[in-house]
C-alpha cells in the first residue's frame, strides 16, 4: 500500500479510519528506514508483524516473485513445495554469486539486500559485545569448523610455502579436522597445568616457531571459548608473538561472543599484536539453527579475500535466521540475555560447588573460563572408569543434555593423530570430572533440575557401588548407623553362642 492506494481507499472506507491505518503503516516503515540508514541492530526489538512485513517487501524484489516473470534458465528460484517457499519467506535465490559470497545478484535484489543488512547488523553486534575495532565481517552458511578451513585456504595464497599450523591443544574434533581438511599439518602444543587450569604453553609455542621456522607456519590457530578446566588461550601474548614473527593469527571464538571476557581478549590481542580473523558460531551465540558462522577481522581487504574464496552461491537461511532473531530481540534484548547468562554462571557455580561438597568432590578452580565449569569425580573413579562413564549415560537418559563426563585415560585417534587423555585437553589430567556450562539462553530452572537429577544419579551410583562391595565380600563404605548396630549385635550374639559351646565342651 502506497500513498495513492491509501487515498483511493478513502472512497470505500471512512477517511479518518484510512488515515489511522496509514499512520500505523508509517510506523513500520520508519523502523525499516532507520535500519537501512544506520545499518545497526535496533535498540528495541521489532514486532513479528514488522519483521514479516519487511521480509515480504524484500521477497517481492526477487525475480522469482515478479508477477510477469518468465524464467528460462537453470536457476530461476523455482520451488515445488509451498511449505518450503513459506519457510524461506520466498527468498529462494540465496546470497552471493559464483565468484563472491558477498556479491549482489542482479535478479535477486531483495536477497542481496538481506545479505548486506545482515552483515552490517552483525558487525554492530560484534562491536557492542566487546570487539570495538573490528572493521569487517560476513555471515557464511557453514558451521565453525568449515569456516575456519575457509580462512586457512585463503591464507594459503598469501603463504604458499607454509606447511604447518601451530595449535594449542583443545580436544574438539572439528577444530583439528579444519586444519587437515585445508591440507596442513597441525603442530600440537600441549597445555600446561596451573592449579586446576590448563593454559597456553607460550615457551613451547616460541620454541616450535624457532625449531620449524616462522616462514613454514601458515598461522597460529588459537581458541577462546572451551570446556573447563581448559581456559581461553593467552591471546594477547600469542598475538604479540605472531606480530614479532610475522605469522598470521586465526582465532576460534566458537561461542565466545556471549562472553565479555572472550571478546575483550580478542580486542586486546588485536590492539597489542596480530589477529587476522576470528570465527564464531551463529547457533551457539544467537540461538538459531545450526549451519552458520561469522567470519570477522580487522583488515577489510583480508575479510573480502575470504569471502571471495567461497565457491559458488550460498544458502541465505543462516543470514535470514540471525537477522530475524536480532530484529526481534533488538540490541537491548540481546544484551539482557548476555547479562542473564553471566549472572546464572555465578548461580551454577554456587550450586555445583555445594553439590560437589555433599558428595566429597569439589568444583575445580577455573576462574579464567567465563562459560564452562568442571566438578571432580574422584569418588566415582575409585569404583572404576565404568562408574564415571555410567554417570554420563544416566544423565542423558534423565534428559540432562550438554553435561560432559570426562574419564581418565581415554585415547582417541583423529585423522591419524592419537590424543591421550582425549576430551580433557591434556595427556594426563589429575582427575576425572563433569562439565556444565552457563551458555546464552540457560534458565534458573535448567540449573535447578540439572542439580537435582545429578544429585540423584550420584547417590544411586554410590549405593550401587556399596552393594557390589558387599556382594564381593569387600568392606563397604558409607554404611549407615543402623547397619553398624545390627552388625555389632550379630557379632555379640555369635560370641555368646561360642562361649556356651566352649563351656559345655
Amino acid at each position: 500500500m502506497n500513498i495513492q492506494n491509501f487515498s483511493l481507499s478513502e472512497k470505500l472506507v471512512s477517511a479518518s479510519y484510512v488515515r489511522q491505518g496509514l499512520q500505523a503503516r508509517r510506523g513500520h516503515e520508519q523502523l525499516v528506514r532507520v535500519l537501512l540508514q544506520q545499518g545497526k541492530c535496533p535498540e528495541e526489538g521489532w514486532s513479528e508483524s514488522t519483521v514479516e512485513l519487511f521480509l515480504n517487501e524484500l521477497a517481492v524484489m526477487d525475480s522469482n516473485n515478479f508477477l510477469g516473470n518468465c524464467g528460462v534458465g537453470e536457476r530461476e528460484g523455482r520451488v515445488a513445495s509451498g511449505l518450503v517457499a513459506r519457510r524461506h519467506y520466498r527468498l529462494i535465490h540465496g546470497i552471493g554469486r559464483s565468484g563472491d559470497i558477498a556479491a549482489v545478484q542482479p535478479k535477486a535484489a531483495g536477497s542481496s539486500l538481506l545479505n548486506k543488512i545482515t552483515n552490517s547488523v552483525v558487525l554492530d553486534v560484534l562491536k557492542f559485545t566487546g570487539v570495538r575495532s573490528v572493521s569487517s565481517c560476513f555471515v557464511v552458511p557453514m558451521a565453525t569448523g568449515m569456516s575456519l578451513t575457509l580462512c586457512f585456504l585463503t591464507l594459503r595464497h598469501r603463504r604458499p610455502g607454509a606447511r604447518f599450523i601451530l595449535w594449542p591443544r583443545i580436544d574438539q574434533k572439528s577444530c583439528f579436522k579444519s586444519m587437515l581438511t585445508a591440507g596442513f599439518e597441525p603442530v600440537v602444543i600441549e597445555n600446561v597445568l596451573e592449579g586446576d587450569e590448563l593454559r597456553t604453553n607460550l615457551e613451547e609455542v616460541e620454541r616450535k616457531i624457532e625449531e620449524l621456522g616462522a616462514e613454514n607456519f601458515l598461522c597460529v590457530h588459537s581458541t577462546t571459548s572451551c570446556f573447563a578446566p581448559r581456559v581461553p588461550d593467552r591471546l594477547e601474548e600469542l598475538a604479540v608473538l605472531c606480530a614479532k614473527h610475522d605469522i598470521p593469527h586465526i582465532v576460534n571464538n566458537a561461542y565466545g561472543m556471549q562472553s565479555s571476557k572472550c571478546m575483550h581478549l580478542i580486542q586486546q590481542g588485536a590492539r597489542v599484536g596480530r589477529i587476522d580473523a576470528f570465527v564464531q558460531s551463529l547457533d551457539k551465540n544467537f540461538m538459531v539453527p545450526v549451519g552458520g558462522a561469522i567470519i570477522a577481522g580487522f583488515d577489510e581487504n583480508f575479510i573480502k579475500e575470504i569471502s571471495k574464496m567461497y565457491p559458488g552461491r550460498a544458502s541465505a537461511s543462516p543470514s535470514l535466521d540471525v537477522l530475524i532473531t536480532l530484529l526481534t530481540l533488538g540490541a537491548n534484548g540481546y544484551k539482557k540475555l548476555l547479562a542473564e547468562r553471566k549472572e546464572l554462571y555465578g548461580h551454577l557455580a554456587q550450586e555445583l560447588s555445594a553439590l560437589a561438597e555433599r558428595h566429597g568432590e569439589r568444583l575445580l578452580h577455573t576462574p579464567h573460563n567465563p562459560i564452562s565449569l568442571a566438578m571432580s569425580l574422584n569418588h566415582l573413579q575409585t569404583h572404576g572408569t565404568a562408574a564415571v562413564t555410567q554417570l554420563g549415560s544416566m544423565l542423558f537418559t534423565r534428559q540432562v543434555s550438554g553435561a560432559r563426563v570426562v574419564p581418565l585415560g581415554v585415547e582417541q585417534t583423529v585423522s591419524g593423530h592419537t590424543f591421550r587423555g582425549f576430551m580433557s585437553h591434556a595427556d594426563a589430567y589429575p582427575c576425572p570430572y563433569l562439565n556444565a556450562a552457563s551458555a546464552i539462553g540457560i534458565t534458573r530452572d535448567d540449573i535447578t533440575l540439572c542439580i537435582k537429577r545429578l544429585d540423584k544419579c550420584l547417590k544411586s551410583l554410590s549405593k550401587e557401588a556399596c552393594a557390589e562391595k558387599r556382594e564381593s565380600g569387600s568392606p563397604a563404605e558409607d554404611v549407615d548407623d543402623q547397619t553398624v548396630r545390627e552388625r555389632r549385635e550379630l557379632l555379640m550374639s555369635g560370641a555368646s553362642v561360642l562361649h556356651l559351646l566352649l563351656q559345655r565342651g
Side-chain angles (χ1 to χ4, degrees), residues 405-427:
V405 171
V406 181
L408 296 176
V410 175
E411 281 198 3
Q412 178 78 47
T413 299
V414 182
S415 300
H417 184 96
T418 299
F419 291 91
R420 293 174 53 219
F422 188 73
M423 289 170 55
S424 67
H425 320 288
D427 284 348

Side-chain angles (χ1 to χ4, degrees), residues 317-339:
S317 290
S319 297
L320 182 60
D321 290 341
V322 74
L323 181 62
I324 290 172
T325 300
L326 288 173
L327 292 179
T328 303
L329 288 173
N332 290 337
Y334 189 65
K335 289 174 184 176
K336 182 181 178 183
L337 287 173
L338 298 183

Side-chain angles (χ1 to χ4, degrees), residues 122-391:
V122 167
L123 183 66
D124 180 50
V125 176
L126 285 170
K127 289 180 177 180
F128 73 63
T129 51
V131 187
R132 300 198 175 277
S133 61
V134 61
S135 65
S136 182
C137 76
F138 67 98
V139 172
V140 59
M142 303 186 295
T144 308
M146 285 303 295
S147 298
L148 288 165
T149 297
L150 189 65
C151 294
F152 302 144
L153 290 172
T154 306
L155 284 173
R156 179 193 289 276
H157 292 274
R158 290 191 171 193
R159 299 171 74 85
R163 287 180 50 204
F164 308 109
I165 295 179
L166 197 147
W167 181 62
R169 176 177 171 179
I170 175 170
D171 289 353
Q172 211 277 339
K173 291 181 184 178
S174 67
C175 308
F176 189 70
K177 292 174 76 174
S178 69
M179 298 178 282
L180 298 174
T181 302
F184 294 94
E185 181 181 335
V187 175
V188 182
I189 304 296
E190 293 293 334
N191 300 300
V192 291
L193 187 65
E194 297 181 9
D196 289 331
E197 294 183 327
L198 290 166
R199 307 210 66 186
T200 315
N201 189 340
L202 293 171
E203 291 182 1
E204 182 65 10
V205 168
E206 189 141 33
R207 192 185 73 78
K208 279 294 182 183
I209 292 174
E210 292 174 358
E211 176 189 331
L212 298 174
E215 69 281 1
N216 293 315
F217 282 98
L218 180 82
C219 66
V220 170
H221 177 192
S222 63
T223 305
T224 54
S225 54
C226 54
F227 296 117
R230 197 193 190 280
V231 300
D233 280 321
R234 298 181 187 272
L235 243 61
E236 290 185 48
E237 292 89 338
L238 286 174
V240 169
L241 282 175
C242 288
K244 173 185 173 183
H245 295 284
D246 192 27
I247 299 175
H249 186 186
I250 305 295
V251 179
N252 174 9
N253 188 43
Y255 49 99
M257 272 191 74
Q258 59 194 278
S259 164
S260 57
K261 182 176 288 187
C262 289
M263 298 299 273
H264 176 73
L265 286 173
I266 294 171
Q267 175 63 34
Q268 286 298 101
R271 185 182 66 83
V272 301
R274 177 172 182 174
I275 291 179
D276 294 73
F278 56 104
V279 179
Q280 36 275 307
S281 164
L282 288 183
D283 62 282
K284 295 184 182 75
N285 293 293
F286 296 103
M287 296 184 289
V288 296
V290 172
I294 303 165
I295 299 176
F298 305 91
D299 178 356
E300 190 172 349
N301 291 329
F302 179 58
I303 301 304
K304 284 182 178 178
E305 277 185 51
I306 300 174
S307 71
K308 290 179 179 178
M309 180 61 63
Y310 187 97
R313 288 171 174 79
S315 170
S317 290
S319 297
L320 182 60
D321 290 341
V322 74
L323 181 62
I324 290 172
T325 300
L326 288 173
L327 292 179
T328 303
L329 288 173
N332 290 337
Y334 189 65
K335 289 174 184 176
K336 182 181 178 183
L337 287 173
L338 298 183
E340 289 172 354
R341 184 215 68 80
K342 192 172 184 178
E343 179 186 346
L344 289 173
Y345 172 85
H347 178 60
L348 177 60
Q350 289 177 356
E351 292 294 307
L352 208 54
S353 179
L355 176 69
E357 191 174 347
R358 290 199 297 272
H359 290 275
E361 302 291 351
R362 67 187 184 90
L363 183 69
L364 301 184
H365 186 61
T366 55
H368 290 97
N369 193 316
I371 299 173
S372 178
L373 296 161
M375 184 185 90
S376 69
L377 295 174
N378 285 314
H379 278 60
L380 278 186
Q381 185 64 37
T382 61
H383 307 311
T385 300
V388 177
T389 55
Q390 187 181 353
L391 175 61

